[in-house]
Amino acid sequence: MLESSQTERRLRDLKRNVVEARAVPMSASCMMNRAETLAFLDAIIAGLEEDFEAQSAEMAPESSRRAWDIVDQHEIVQEAKVRAARIEAKAKAEQEELLAEADRYVETRLAAFEAELQVTLSRVGVMRERLMSRAKIDDSEEPHTTIMPRWSV
């Protein structure tokens, strides 16, 4: 609780008022002003609410920390952490396997594409050689004629 809170001071003031109040003759009772006493009690009640809120605000972080410490130490949490680590390791292994499989697939497809390109390049080379050899034959027969492709009319 707060050191010498306002509520404590008000309670001490109320006690002092009771002690200093005029005694009723021939009894243990005393006479006090009703309005003044009720005002003291209202102020004490209002102060208690403020004190409780302040005390709660001070205690909340520590209580929360202690609760988490207890939870972390609990056997179920420890077991869950172990299982989570196993699941994470398995997922990582599966991820690596999928990546390797994807790499193998892409490599196979690239190799097939490269082979097709080589066949195409080879065919292009053969066609160019034929074209060049035909052009040399045509040049030797008619030196001053323009070579027209066969598909032209």
Side-chain angles (χ1 to χ4, degrees):
M1 193 163 186
L2 298 173
E3 242 179 78
S4 188
S5 69
Q6 218 174 11
T7 303
E8 289 179 59
R9 268 195 348 241
R10 288 177 180 149
L11 283 170
R12 281 193 298 273
D13 289 346
L14 180 60
K15 181 179 179 181
R16 186 176 22 97
N17 281 357
V18 170
V19 169
E20 293 174 357
R22 220 170 18 161
V24 173
M26 313 257 313
S27 82
S29 299
C30 66
M31 294 187 61
M32 294 184 64
N33 181 310
R34 182 184 312 240
E36 187 179 303
T37 304
L38 288 174
F40 264 114
L41 290 173
D42 287 341
I44 290 169
I45 290 169
L48 281 174
E49 291 172 6
E50 292 172 14
D51 288 349
F52 286 143
E53 286 175 16
Q55 192 174 18
S56 292
E58 286 177 9
M59 291 172 46
E62 177 63 20
S63 298
S64 178
R65 187 194 60 76
R66 287 180 58 203
W68 280 111
D69 287 347
I70 291 168
V71 168
D72 280 343
Q73 294 171 359
H74 199 274
E75 184 179 324
I76 294 172
V77 172
Q78 297 304 320
E79 187 177 320
K81 286 179 180 179
V82 169
R83 284 187 69 201
R86 271 191 257 140
I87 291 169
E88 184 178 3
K90 183 179 177 184
K92 189 169 182 89
E94 287 177 4
Q95 174 193 14
E96 289 172 3
E97 187 177 328
L98 283 172
L99 283 174
E101 187 177 326
D103 287 348
R104 285 190 298 271
Y105 174 78
V106 170
E107 171 58 27
T108 302
R109 297 301 298 152
L110 285 174
F113 183 61
E114 182 181 29
E116 289 177 27
L117 282 176
Q118 286 176 349
V119 168
T120 303
L121 283 173
S122 175
R123 287 181 183 162
V124 167
V126 167
M127 293 173 81
R128 287 186 70 209
E129 285 176 14
R130 285 182 188 167
L131 183 62
M132 293 302 283
S133 67
R134 192 176 67 221
K136 288 180 186 176
I137 293 172
D138 288 346
D139 282 345
S140 63
E141 292 175 2
E142 298 176 29
H144 292 91
T145 34
T146 308
I147 301 174
M148 298 293 284
R150 289 185 186 195
W151 57 85
S152 301
V153 177

